[in-house]
Amino acid sequence: MTRWIWLALALALGGVQLGCEETAGSNVDSDGDGVPDSEDCDDASPLAWRRVEAYLDFDKDGYGAGTPQSFCAGDSLPANAATVAGDCAPQDATRWRTLEGPGLYYADLDQDGRASSTPSSACVGTDLTGYTQTAGTDCNDSDPKVWELRTLYLDQDGDGVSGGEPSQYCTGTTLPAGASETSQQDCAPLNASLHQMLSYSFRDADLDGATVPEEGTLCTGSTLPAGYSLTAGTRSDCDDTRGDRWQLISEYPDPDRDSVGSGPAEQHCAGSLPEPGYSRLSSDCAPEDGTRWRMESYSWRDADGDGATVAESGQVCIGNSLPKGYFQFSGSFSDCDDTNAAVSVTWNVFADTDNDGVGAGSSVTLCAGTTRPAGYSHVGTDCEPGDASRWTELAFQYRDADLDSFTVATSGFVCTNGTLPPGYTNSPKGTDCDDTRADLNQSLQAYLDEDADGVGAGSPSTFCTNGSLPTGYSASSTDCAPSDALRWRNLAYQHVDADGDGRTTPSSGQLCSGSALPSGYATKATGNDCDDANAALYLWRVLYPDRDGDGVGVPPRAVLCLNDGPVPAGYSIYGFDPDDTKPTIAYPPEDEGLEALLLGE
């Protein structure tokens, strides 16, 4: 339709009048778009026939750039043309407009949540990520770690104490290295170990821990250096030029150099050690003997040097320890004779005449060496002083006089060598019924077995045996037929075959038998005998009376105890005779086929 509107306008503007004769060829329309070639700006394309003013749109985002240009178009503009100008990024289809105007935007290009304070005129599209309409104070929008302008002081030596003139820095949560928000006026700006002036009141020039009064100030670190202090030390220094001397102390001449002096005291400025040839102790009991210097008490003596002591107290001038033969504590034992080194131990012993290590009789006291005297024992309990093989009494609770390994309960004591002899024990085994005979030891109860079938009966008898019952007796008493060797136990049955036809009837009970039930008795059913008194009758059969003898009877049926032979006369296994008074009528006319089947034809 638009095409024909343009054609009408062309005719009107060209002065074409109806009824006038047209020039030959003026109505030629080569591309068939309804516009004559003479007016068509592209007579080779039916999609373009008119001239329009538009802007080049290189990135085809719907926005052009540059000056307007003439395009041959149809209903729509070419793909690289747009009617709207002002594309700020002609080669980028994602951006075409500039952020400006009354609705101002501020950039947050580093996405740290803090925008610039200056409105942005960036070229954008629909995506406004990184821009906000709220002004911020970000001093560096290209680095998300910094955003705030601060006034800082330089710390040139990096000791954490700044000074000098302040400067502006763009920072974040962490201050730049070597900068501080406060000025502390570093007293040594280029020395990291010194930064502040501190006062001191005492000096320790020789660093021996003892001080002298001295006041002043010092450029130092966080604390005063060694040798300077605000408080006095634990002691006053009598010589602050030497670290090995700090205290006035009394010392005594020590001519034998054993570290213990004597005589009048002298005052010296010294340290932890006394001056050479002097001591701070004054109690030397032998001033000219360097091996002895102190009096020591003793309470025990070992005059014969055998290691055993006797009680004796006194004092002696010694060195580091008491001399040999003097002790503050008793030795391992008390010497019974301190004049003879060969004897020292008091022995309370018993005479051991048989030398079995156990004595007897009353104890005697002997002063001897460290080994018990020969022929004596410290134990006096020998129950046989003249027999070296026996010396101690042991308790027993059981006897085995016949040594058959079966015991009887009896207790007492026996003189032995530490082990109970044979025939005596504290561990029972069985109960010997005759401890005088080794072949009889076990008491057994048995029952008379008169039919010798291995099972007895009657009242029990008790026998003293070697573990085996005497002939003619059994340990069992359940023989139900004591005089019949073929029967000795009761067996249960649940079925009986009284007529011997091989078929049973239910009947339960018990029967005195041997290893198995006799014939005619069983624990499981065989058939179902309907008459167990007659071997010829054993099967229940359902029959119908047949009065006319034609092989087919009529109800009512009869249940008879028979066998599996031929059906008796006057009965049939069939019960559907329509007329049992006439032998010629056995089946309805329509059942002739059934009649033939039943008769075997």
Side-chain angles (χ1 to χ4, degrees), residues 191-216:
N191 187 339
S193 62
L194 306 175
H195 57 81
Q196 64 177 335
M197 297 297 294
L198 293 179
S199 299
Y200 64 92
S201 302
F202 296 89
R203 282 284 280 124
D204 179 14
D206 54 11
L207 300 178
D208 58 3
T211 60
V212 295
E214 179 183 309
E215 293 188 353

Side-chain angles (χ1 to χ4, degrees), residues 6-42:
W6 278 102
L7 178 58
L9 290 172
L11 291 174
L13 295 173
V16 179
Q17 299 187 14
L18 297 175
C20 296
E21 184 177 351
E22 297 181 358
T23 305
S26 62
N27 291 324
V28 175
D29 182 8
S30 301
D31 54 10
D33 58 4
V35 179
D37 291 352
S38 59
E39 301 172 7
D40 197 333
C41 59
D42 186 355

